[in-house]
Amino acid sequence: MHMHCVQANSIGGFVSSIPKSSLSLSPTTTMAMPSPNSLRVAAAQMTSVSDLAANFATCSGLVKEAASAGAKLLCFPEAFSYVGTKDGDSVSVAQPLDGPIMNQYCSLARESSIWLSLGGFQEKGSDPQHLCNTHVIVDETGKIRSSYRKIHLFDVDVPGGRVYKESSFTEPGKDIVAVDSPIGRLGLSVCYDLRFPEMYQLLRFQHEAQVLLVPSAFTKVTGAAHWEILLRARAIETQCYVIAAAQTGKHGDKRESYGDTLIIDPWGTIVGRLPDRLSTGIVVADIDLSLVDSVREKMPIAKQRMPIDFWKAASL
């Protein structure tokens, strides 16, 4: 697939209705050339802050831009609606999925008739001290189709960086989730899940995912070292498209995200990428599910992989 850069207000022949000045949107977007069987998707890149209204205004503009570009689905990054100034701040803004914050985002989907992947929403937990880091899929009518609670929590001492302990204020999820959509069967995950390939194996081989969604807020240090290679590995080993919307830039004094929103095909080729990994904007690409079928047919790993019982016996 070829990629080319065009002005954000003229995307592949689709004219955006967003004035550039109001939202500081990226001046460019990157997009794959369409094919007859293609389905248009978009992924956002943004710098969320500790201001719910400001983040919603940014997201609203990006939704309009994606809809104007003809995208059927727009994917937002982890913590799209709020990033606190310090760990645990987000517990104070956590709400149930039928609360006013999520209702606002459901209205955005309905008003623009577009599916939204809202990755990493602060869902109210089972006690006042905890939230769930929840990836929510909303359809074009504004209805919540599915939700996934992040399983792998970011408890890490980043080399050359700071110590994170997401589990101090977040409950881990317990269920793997996939859901059908207009752009194929979606496998849901969030950020740090990316480092656990067995989860994506289950999404592909048990839950029949065709497109893996990885909304993230990778740190600057870990992003520079591992972000692209992990995403491409997941695409290759599962033979799925991967859409990875990313937080970017400085969210305050203590937190900085790597950025580099990517769309990757099932052969591991990057088919969508913003030219500036620190900008706010969207990347648009046309995905083709017949390519998923072709890659899987020519390299039939689903038939060739060994069952778990084989490996149990082989390790004796």
Side-chain angles (χ1 to χ4, degrees), residues 25-63:
L25 297 181
S26 169
T28 57
T29 190
T30 306
M31 170 181 141
M33 297 294 287
S35 73
N37 301 314
S38 66
L39 300 159
R40 185 156 290 180
V41 298
Q45 186 168 279
M46 63 188 293
T47 308
S48 295
V49 293
S50 58
D51 183 331
L52 289 163
N55 297 329
F56 181 76
T58 299
C59 291
S60 179
L62 296 174
V63 168

Side-chain angles (χ1 to χ4, degrees), residues 92-132:
S92 65
V93 302
Q95 293 186 0
L97 296 186
D98 59 358
I101 296 176
M102 184 53 66
N103 284 341
Q104 277 189 303
Y105 285 91
C106 289
S107 295
L108 282 185
R110 184 169 58 250
E111 290 160 8
S112 290
S113 296
I114 189 171
W115 282 58
L116 297 179
S117 159
L118 301 168
F121 176 73
Q122 292 91 2
E123 181 188 7
K124 198 169 184 63
S126 61
D127 64 62
Q129 288 75 45
H130 292 84
L131 55 77
C132 296

Side-chain angles (χ1 to χ4, degrees), residues 38-244:
S38 66
L39 300 159
R40 185 156 290 180
V41 298
Q45 186 168 279
M46 63 188 293
T47 308
S48 295
V49 293
S50 58
D51 183 331
L52 289 163
N55 297 329
F56 181 76
T58 299
C59 291
S60 179
L62 296 174
V63 168
K64 292 184 177 73
E65 189 177 358
S68 295
K72 301 293 185 190
L73 167 73
L74 170 61
C75 299
F76 280 107
E78 182 182 27
F80 62 96
S81 62
Y82 185 85
V83 172
T85 54
K86 61 181 185 292
D87 288 350
D89 272 5
S90 48
V91 176
S92 65
V93 302
Q95 293 186 0
L97 296 186
D98 59 358
I101 296 176
M102 184 53 66
N103 284 341
Q104 277 189 303
Y105 285 91
C106 289
S107 295
L108 282 185
R110 184 169 58 250
E111 290 160 8
S112 290
S113 296
I114 189 171
W115 282 58
L116 297 179
S117 159
L118 301 168
F121 176 73
Q122 292 91 2
E123 181 188 7
K124 198 169 184 63
S126 61
D127 64 62
Q129 288 75 45
H130 292 84
L131 55 77
C132 296
N133 190 339
T134 303
H135 185 168
V136 183
I137 300 296
V138 180
D139 71 17
E140 83 285 1
T141 71
K143 177 185 175 185
I144 294 177
R145 285 294 187 103
S146 192
S147 63
Y148 158 76
R149 292 171 175 170
K150 184 180 182 183
I151 291 173
H152 301 98
L153 303 183
F154 192 55
D155 290 0
V156 175
D157 183 352
V158 175
R162 49 169 286 214
V163 175
Y164 295 83
K165 192 146 182 79
E166 187 178 13
S167 65
S168 68
F169 59 91
T170 307
E171 295 176 19
K174 298 176 181 176
D175 298 315
I176 289 178
V177 178
V179 60
D180 291 320
S181 81
I183 62 120
R185 188 157 174 80
L186 308 175
L188 308 190
S189 65
V190 178
C191 198
Y192 193 51
D193 286 329
L194 181 60
R195 293 184 182 272
F196 301 88
E198 59 272 22
M199 177 172 160
Y200 297 90
Q201 296 284 301
L202 289 169
L203 283 169
R204 157 72 206 275
F205 297 112
Q206 287 192 20
H207 295 267
E208 300 180 340
Q210 297 166 297
V211 181
L212 303 174
L213 306 183
V214 194
S216 297
F218 256 56
T219 71
K220 184 179 179 182
V221 172
T222 57
H226 302 145
W227 172 247
E228 179 185 323
I229 196 166
L230 285 172
L231 290 166
R232 294 180 72 186
R234 297 297 160 265
I236 293 164
E237 69 198 9
T238 63
Q239 301 172 317
C240 290
Y241 276 94
V242 170
I243 304 176

Side-chain angles (χ1 to χ4, degrees), residues 4-13 27-31:
H4 63 281
C5 297
V6 293
Q7 292 301 308
N9 65 343
S10 178
I11 304 172
T28 57
T29 190
T30 306
M31 170 181 141

